[in-house]
Amino acid sequence: MHPKPKKSLGQNFLVDKNIQEKIIAACNLKKTDTVVEIGPGKGEITKFLLATVKKVVAVEIDRALCERLVEQFRPYPNFTLLHADILKTSLAHYKNLKIIANIPYYISTPIITYLLQYRKQIKVIYLTMQKELAGRLVATAGTKAYGSFSCFTQFYTQPKILFPIKNTSFWPKPKVDSSFVELKILKTPRVKVKDEELFFRIIRRGFNQRRKVLTNSLATIAPIKKLQGALRGRNLSQTVRAEDLSLEDFARLAGCLSG
Ligand code: SAM
């Protein structure tokens, strides 16, 4: 039985055997690992995981695919299937998790944001995602792709693009190419921040109006004089824009503006 791919669930199956093997090799799996696989689909990656690691917890939202997966992997005692939405699945009772996912493009950002809430339970996240999003995750200050999501991801993880994946590796073929990405969870966030809420508010507000100079886009967060003083203290020009600031700069700015 071959259920018809559901576009609404971002079902583009990875059919290229070479890429399947390349993904497994890149994940550096150990016999002792517990892996959460998001969206196992037809189990193309799952079958390799089951042969390699201690435990695989697969989270699949599609009932028809779940029925297939249960049948397919019945002989494997290390396989657990959750018929669930990953965005509603608690990972709180796990530790040292590896996450592996070829996730639908339209929820890549919510999934990464959701997973990072469980960063204490996770060691590393491996994701197949749209090439442009991967570029944003690793982008640094002063580049066009750099934005609030780059800052958010780099605050908590060490992101790395491992290799590209052509759209022809999937069926049905998506419009865009993909990248396979590693997000290593950092033991402590990349920069020291006293008030994380303020830090991310500054970043979001700054990038929401990325063409504006920072002193204007942050005018509702702090008085202009205080902002100007904070930029001077960091040796930054009064006309900088959010895209010019590193995480360290944002952290210092938040430090100056808090309290
Ligand atoms: N891993 C398979 C592969 O590589 O061929 C399937 C990848 S396909 C791009 C995405 C999979 O995620 C589909 O099986 C889809 O049903 C599932 N999915 C979509 N949204 C989901 C969600 N919110 N929670 C869990 N699984 C989801």
Side-chain angles (χ1 to χ4, degrees), residues 1 14 21 29-30 37 62 119 123 162 167 174 211 237 250:
M1 183 190 61
L14 181 65
E21 284 170 17
L29 297 164
K30 308 265 177 326
E37 189 192 7
D62 185 333
R119 57 190 177 273
K123 261 206 311 221
L162 297 182
N167 62 348
R211 299 313 310 152
S237 137
F250 279 119

Side-chain angles (χ1 to χ4, degrees), residues 57-119:
V57 179
V59 183
E60 173 56 63
I61 201 167
D62 185 333
R63 180 182 298 280
L65 288 176
C66 282
E67 284 166 7
R68 255 177 81 110
L69 290 160
V70 165
E71 280 310 309
Q72 192 177 351
F73 298 122
R74 199 182 290 285
Y76 291 87
N78 56 343
F79 180 63
T80 303
L81 179 65
L82 305 178
H83 173 212
D85 179 346
I86 185 61
L87 296 175
K88 293 180 183 149
T89 305
S90 171
L91 303 176
H93 54 289
Y94 294 104
K95 55 178 195 225
N96 288 327
L97 274 186
K98 286 188 177 173
I99 309 275
I100 298 182
N102 172 12
I103 49 181
Y105 293 152
Y106 66 96
I107 47 165
S108 299
T109 308
I111 288 182
I112 295 169
T113 308
Y114 183 80
L115 291 177
L116 289 181
Q117 287 177 39
Y118 291 103
R119 57 190 177 273

Side-chain angles (χ1 to χ4, degrees), residues 21-186:
E21 284 170 17
K22 207 167 165 181
I23 284 178
I24 292 295
C27 294
N28 196 16
L29 297 164
K30 308 265 177 326
K31 275 248 165 303
T32 48
D33 283 338
T34 297
V35 172
V36 166
E37 189 192 7
I38 305 170
K42 296 183 183 185
E44 297 294 3
I45 298 289
T46 325
K47 64 179 187 242
F48 291 105
L49 295 175
L50 287 169
T52 316
V53 304
K54 186 167 117 198
K55 189 170 165 61
V56 178
V57 179
V59 183
E60 173 56 63
I61 201 167
D62 185 333
R63 180 182 298 280
L65 288 176
C66 282
E67 284 166 7
R68 255 177 81 110
L69 290 160
V70 165
E71 280 310 309
Q72 192 177 351
F73 298 122
R74 199 182 290 285
Y76 291 87
N78 56 343
F79 180 63
T80 303
L81 179 65
L82 305 178
H83 173 212
D85 179 346
I86 185 61
L87 296 175
K88 293 180 183 149
T89 305
S90 171
L91 303 176
H93 54 289
Y94 294 104
K95 55 178 195 225
N96 288 327
L97 274 186
K98 286 188 177 173
I99 309 275
I100 298 182
N102 172 12
I103 49 181
Y105 293 152
Y106 66 96
I107 47 165
S108 299
T109 308
I111 288 182
I112 295 169
T113 308
Y114 183 80
L115 291 177
L116 289 181
Q117 287 177 39
Y118 291 103
R119 57 190 177 273
K120 290 208 168 67
Q121 283 73 35
I122 300 173
K123 261 206 311 221
V124 60
I125 304 172
Y126 292 101
L127 296 163
T128 304
M129 65 179 77
Q130 190 170 345
K131 193 174 149 195
E132 280 69 24
L133 178 61
R136 278 167 47 204
L137 293 188
V138 300
T140 50
T143 62
K144 221 172 127 199
Y146 185 59
S148 55
F149 203 56
S150 329
C151 293
F152 176 71
T153 315
Q154 291 170 27
F155 184 64
Y156 295 118
T157 78
Q158 176 66 50
K160 188 174 174 193
I161 296 176
L162 297 182
F163 51 85
I165 308 180
K166 281 255 162 243
N167 62 348
T168 46
S169 299
F170 300 94
W171 178 83
K173 189 175 83 171
K175 285 200 178 71
V176 292
D177 291 330
S178 295
S179 298
F180 192 62
V181 174
E182 176 186 74
L183 302 177
K184 252 191 202 151
I185 306 291
L186 299 171

